[in-house]
Structure formats: structure tokens, C-alpha cells
Amino acid sequence: MKLSNFNFDLPDELLAEHPAEHRDESRLMVLDRANQTIEHKLFKDIIDYFDEGDVMIMNNTKVFPARLYGNKEKTGARIEVFLLRELNQDQRLWDVLVDPARKIRIGNKLYFGEDETLVAEVIDNTTSRGRTLRFLYDGSYNDFRRKLTELGQTPLPKYIKRDVEPEDEERYQTIYAKNEGAVAAPTAGLHFSKHLLKRLEIKGVEMAEVTLHVGLGTFNPVEVEDLSKHKMDSEEIIISQRSADVVNRGIENKKRVCAVGTTSMRTIESSVSSNGRLNPYEGWTNKFIFPPYDFSIANCMITNFHTPKSTLLMMISAFAGHDFVKRAYDEAVKEKYRFYSYGDAMLII
């Protein structure tokens, strides 16, 4: 499989700028791999495809307000700082992306907020846009993190051209988000409402929570035609013993084991035992899944509609079959499904 196999024409108007009015009323395309059929539903209809003892694997990462705007010392130039990950809590060192990067050199200072109580000094260049910053703040670590939250904005993807609105703080977050550390939402989970989760629970569907702190590596463009040469950035993952037990019970009972989103799928595929069971794990993964690939844990998945040439589309193609996904995407464009983070959903069974 080559990069060019994953290109398709996606009209700009199908990129969702806003979420659906109600979380569970996005549209849902259902792909049945055995029968090669495509159905059109609403997301809340997903309950009809699950029974008692089936398992849903959810990524409970929580998005933090990772986008800050500061001013460069002396010139006052406005600089966007995108927080990627904390490197050292005591020294307040962070990996960040800066824009425009050409203006930001080692030794520069950036000032944030109207009172300029938060300052950052550039101490290293990591990539063309990447920098290491040391934050200077007169207060405890908890006060410092509160200040970052106060000054930061919800990190909506760049394709959304509008300003961040108050509703984004809630809607660009799953309702079961709890472990803070992601710079992008695990978007397949955005479709679940409290009401729908309750109905699934009453039906006897089991939930297994895992964590993958989504970094920008998930969205980095693939720039090599030979996919085996693409390297994913590492992202932190956590799989508890309890979640592994729930998933393994589902496998042993031959139930539907559903990965909610590509991040959940990458998490579970990063910690598989030799007999095809899920192992507990805490660490990092740079797993890149593209066709052909044998999946070990999940036999079903929920995902959004992804952009051309993305690593996310490659994983879906590996799971559902390249030709079938191509046909589904052609139909999605024709039927005007909404694509990407705030877009519609797909269930692959």
C-alpha cells in the first residue's frame, strides 16, 4: 500500500466547523464487513448493534487548553504557542510548537496575559516549528497549571477557521474524559451522550477505559509514498488490569469487542499477549497501523470520517478492507456526511 492509495476528493464544505446540535444525533454509517453492506442511521441507533456482555473500549484522555497566545519581548509580536507535552514538572519545561517560528530563537522571552505574570524563555530548538520553553511563574506548581488553563484556549484543529466559542470547551471533550494530557480530542467518543451511555449500561454492555494522550503526531502528514518508512510520534498510554480483564472476558465469551476510535485501537494493539489477549501496560506507543494488518483484540470499531492521506484513514482501511472503505467514502461524500473532528460517525462490524 502506498500513500497515493489513500487520496480522494473531499469538498471543503464537508469539513465540520461545528458539532451536531445533540451529541448522539450525528449521522452514523454502518459498514458490515461480512456482507459488504452499508446502512445509514443516527448515532443513537448504535445501541441496536450491541448486546449484553459486549465490550466498548473508550479512550478517557482529557484535552487541556493547549493553545496560548503571547507577545515577544521588545517587538511585541503576537506568537501562538501550542503546548505539546510537559518535560519536567519542577523546572516547568515544555515541548511546544510556535507560530510564526522564524521569529522565535533561543534566548527569546515571551509574555502571556494582560498582566504578563507568566513568562516563558526559549531554551532549545527541537524541529523547524518545535521549541523547548521554560516557564517562569511566581507561584506553586498548582497555581502555574491553573494559570496555563486560564490563559489557554481549546485546541480546535487548524481546519476549523472560526474563533473558539464557549461551547467548544464542553463539546471538544468526551463526556467520560478524566485523565488530562491530550492536545486533541479522541473524536469518535464525542458522539456519546450521558443518556446513550446509560442505555448501553442498562442493556449490559461493558465499558473498558484506556488512556492514550493524543499528541499532534496522530495528525502529522505522511510525506513518504512508502508507508513503511513513516514514523509516528510517541504518545503515552495506560491500560489498567481491570480494563484488560473486561476486554479479555469479552474475547473469551466471543462477544463484540468494539474499539471506540483509532486512538483506542492503537492503544490496545500496542499491548497484546502471544495468545491474543490484552495486557495491562503503562508507557508509550508509536504504533502505526496500515494495510495489511492483523488485528488481535477488537472485532468492531467506531470512528469518524477522516481526511485524505491521513494515518487514521489508513488504519480504517486495514480494519474494514481498502476497497470497501473506498466505496463507503465515495458514498459519504455523495450523501454529504460531515468529516473530521466535529463530523459524523462510522460503525464497522
Side-chain angles (χ1 to χ4, degrees):
M1 280 284 167
K2 302 209 175 318
L3 177 63
S4 46
N5 292 126
F6 297 94
N7 201 13
F8 65 95
D9 288 328
L10 178 58
D12 284 348
E13 68 267 18
L14 297 187
L15 289 172
E17 288 266 327
H18 291 271
E21 188 177 352
H22 301 290
R23 284 183 186 267
D24 58 13
E25 290 185 358
S26 300
R27 293 165 76 192
L28 176 72
M29 181 185 278
V30 183
L31 272 58
D32 183 322
R33 293 179 293 170
N35 300 314
Q36 296 284 291
T37 55
I38 296 173
E39 293 180 285
H40 303 285
K41 303 277 186 178
L42 289 179
F43 192 80
K44 60 188 177 186
D45 300 329
I46 214 156
I47 194 158
D48 301 334
Y49 295 88
F50 292 88
D51 291 310
E52 187 174 353
D54 289 343
V55 179
M56 284 192 173
I57 304 165
M58 336 277 257
N59 181 5
N60 67 11
T61 188
K62 188 173 186 182
V63 180
F64 66 92
R67 189 172 274 129
L68 301 170
Y69 291 94
N71 297 98
K72 191 178 166 188
E73 63 178 338
K74 295 178 184 155
T75 67
R78 180 173 148 105
I79 306 293
E80 179 189 307
V81 172
F82 195 99
L83 302 171
L84 291 178
R85 64 172 68 108
E86 188 173 45
L87 299 174
N88 184 303
Q89 189 171 318
D90 295 336
Q91 296 183 37
R92 298 180 189 173
L93 295 183
W94 283 74
D95 246 347
V96 305
L97 296 177
V98 292
D99 192 22
R102 67 183 186 283
K103 295 184 173 181
I104 302 301
R105 298 188 171 87
I106 292 173
N108 287 160
K109 282 201 171 80
L110 299 170
Y111 293 85
F112 300 92
E114 288 184 8
D115 56 3
E116 297 187 347
T117 52
L118 181 65
V119 182
E121 183 180 6
V122 182
I123 62 169
D124 198 10
N125 293 335
T126 51
T127 61
S128 58
R129 288 181 57 214
R131 302 289 184 271
T132 303
L133 297 187
R134 177 186 287 118
F135 281 98
L136 312 168
Y137 183 72
D138 208 8
S140 69
Y141 177 75
N142 287 340
D143 288 345
F144 162 64
R145 287 303 298 249
R146 267 196 290 276
K147 192 71 178 173
L148 282 186
T149 300
E150 177 195 317
L151 292 173
Q153 288 187 4
T154 302
L156 292 182
K158 282 287 196 188
Y159 83 88
I160 293 178
K161 302 293 184 234
R162 62 176 174 78
D163 289 340
V164 174
E165 295 169 12
E167 72 160 354
D168 292 313
E169 190 176 339
E170 182 217 343
R171 291 300 301 272
Y172 194 63
Q173 197 84 270
T174 63
I175 58 166
Y176 47 81
K178 49 171 80 88
N179 284 346
E180 190 171 84
V183 300
T187 54
L190 297 180
H191 304 285
F192 286 90
S193 63
K194 286 193 171 118
H195 180 62
L196 179 58
L197 276 183
K198 194 72 192 162
R199 288 176 66 211
L200 286 162
E201 189 188 319
I202 290 166
K203 201 168 182 182
V205 177
E206 294 210 68
M207 305 298 167
E209 292 188 2
V210 297
T211 304
L212 181 145
H213 289 316
V214 189
L216 287 185
T218 298
F219 309 100
N220 274 353
V222 180
E223 292 172 337
V224 285
E225 183 66 8
D226 177 355
L227 299 184
S228 65
K229 302 232 172 3
H230 177 70
K231 294 285 181 282
M232 294 284 278
D233 284 358
S234 289
E235 292 162 309
E236 191 175 3
I237 62 173
I238 303 164
I239 304 166
S240 69
Q241 182 69 58
R242 185 203 167 271
S243 291
D245 292 344
V246 170
V247 170
N248 292 335
R249 189 163 60 241
I251 295 171
E252 276 144 29
N253 294 333
K254 298 193 165 33
K255 295 294 186 181
R256 195 158 265 175
V257 177
C258 184
V260 178
T262 57
T263 58
S264 296
M265 185 68 91
R266 282 181 52 232
T267 303
I268 58 179
E269 285 294 320
S270 298
S271 187
V272 179
S273 69
S274 56
N275 65 342
R277 296 294 182 269
L278 183 61
N279 286 332
Y281 179 72
E282 280 194 42
W284 297 78
T285 183
N286 61 354
K287 187 98 179 155
F288 174 33
I289 297 173
F290 59 94
Y293 183 86
D294 289 327
F295 291 82
S296 301
I297 306 289
N299 52 23
C300 159
M301 83 177 290
I302 297 168
T303 187
N304 276 26
F305 287 90
H306 306 296
T307 47
K309 296 185 177 178
S310 61
T311 58
L312 310 160
L313 177 57
M314 291 163 195
M315 180 196 290
I316 305 311
S317 296
F319 190 72
H322 184 259
D323 292 342
F324 191 24
V325 168
K326 199 167 182 318
R327 178 157 70 89
Y329 268 56
D330 287 345
E331 188 150 335
V333 170
K334 191 175 94 212
E335 296 292 330
K336 297 198 164 20
Y337 273 74
R338 298 159 77 244
F339 277 67
Y340 214 36
S341 301
Y342 272 152
D344 294 316
M346 176 185 277
L347 169 66
I348 306 168
I349 56 176

